[in-house]
Amino acid sequence: MGDSHTWTAAPAAAERARSVLAAAWSCAVTAEGGREELVGAHGVADDGRVLLHVPEDSALLAAAICAPRGEPTAVLEFADVAPVPVRGRIRARLWLAGWFAPEDGHLALRPTRVVLRQPSGAVVVDLDEFAAAAPDPLALAEARLLTHLADCHGDAVERLTRLVDADSLHGAVRVRPLAVDRHGLTLRIERVRAHGDVRLPFHAPADDIAQLTERMHVLLAQAGTASCPRTPQRRRTDGYG
């Protein structure tokens, strides 16, 4: 990318959907045989197929065997939960509708419809874009990174608020790291009765932990030269973390 600001927006919907899918540990499956909650039972193929490992007596397996091939027979729901305790921890929900087929000892769901719902609204993800997309390179490390930032570097989070417009901090009682991806860091600004999010873009995408460390250092350096806005007055006093 030529312009250093062309990646300041959030990841594209297809990439975000693949990141949710890659990082999720559990899912809910609704099919003709009923609804099942699965934990640690799914994997993802490179083309976006979801591979479910279910017991032989599962109603899902029976539904897959009996249903006509090609007919959408199931909906999978994944929740993207913020690893740091914040108000409103569900950052996104992902639904995949499609049909199951037994495959190499598990069930494979080929999506026919992919819907991603974020605070900004719901979007139907193009199937070709979904199949071609890759998860964010930081998706699997995000929980560890954010937890470490929140628990061990609260001073750095507070310093980063200098990069936030003062109006966005009005009435803030706490600021916590909400999300990080290759494009930037998102802060959750909590007020007494509401909350909002502010995104701090990196100067260039971060494709690994080493690059992320450099990008964070740049943000902190920028914050060090910024004027200090009105910072939260009640940090760590409301029973969280």
Side-chain angles (χ1 to χ4, degrees):
M1 300 179 181
D3 182 5
S4 62
H5 297 288
T6 55
W7 47 72
T8 60
E15 179 182 344
R16 184 76 180 94
R18 291 297 295 267
S19 297
V20 172
L21 190 58
W25 180 243
S26 63
C27 69
V29 185
T30 303
E32 295 177 6
R35 180 180 174 90
E36 294 188 27
E37 303 283 342
L38 302 178
V39 178
H42 77 275
V44 186
D46 290 342
D47 61 0
R49 285 177 299 125
V50 179
L51 310 177
L52 294 179
H53 302 275
V54 297
E56 293 183 359
D57 60 352
S58 170
L60 295 176
L61 182 59
I65 294 174
C66 298
R69 181 178 176 85
E71 177 184 351
T73 59
V75 176
L76 275 60
E77 179 181 351
F78 299 85
D80 176 37
V81 182
V84 174
V86 292
R87 185 184 300 141
R89 292 185 71 172
I90 303 298
R91 302 181 299 187
R93 291 189 184 276
L94 176 67
W95 290 272
L96 282 73
W99 52 271
F100 276 125
E103 183 178 300
D104 297 331
H106 52 252
L107 292 178
L109 180 126
R110 296 182 180 276
T112 58
R113 184 176 176 85
V114 177
V115 178
L116 176 69
R117 178 180 291 278
Q118 301 182 99
S120 57
V123 59
V124 177
V125 181
D126 181 84
L127 293 178
D128 290 336
E129 293 178 2
F130 177 78
D136 185 273
L138 303 176
L140 297 182
E142 184 195 26
R144 173 174 55 86
L145 295 168
L146 288 181
T147 300
H148 179 75
L149 179 60
D151 293 346
C152 303
H153 299 285
D155 56 337
V157 175
E158 185 166 348
R159 194 187 322 165
L160 288 171
T161 62
R162 296 184 179 186
L163 300 176
V164 178
D165 185 90
D167 290 340
S168 296
L169 291 174
H170 180 69
V173 297
R174 190 176 71 156
V175 177
R176 299 278 272 174
L178 177 71
V180 68
D181 54 61
R182 66 194 297 262
H183 301 285
L185 174 72
T186 301
L187 300 178
R188 166 64 53 83
I189 300 175
E190 295 184 347
R191 304 176 182 85
V192 174
R193 299 183 182 278
H195 61 264
D197 301 333
V198 173
R199 188 166 178 82
L200 303 180
F202 298 143
H203 67 86
D207 293 328
D208 54 38
I209 302 299
Q211 291 183 3
L212 173 64
T213 300
E214 188 274 338
R215 306 303 188 261
M216 289 296 297
H217 285 167
V218 170
L219 284 181
L220 289 169
Q222 293 172 347
T225 61
S227 59
C228 185
R230 291 169 288 179
T231 53
Q233 300 298 310
R234 290 167 47 197
R235 286 177 54 83
R236 304 180 185 276
T237 62
D238 51 2
Y240 290 91

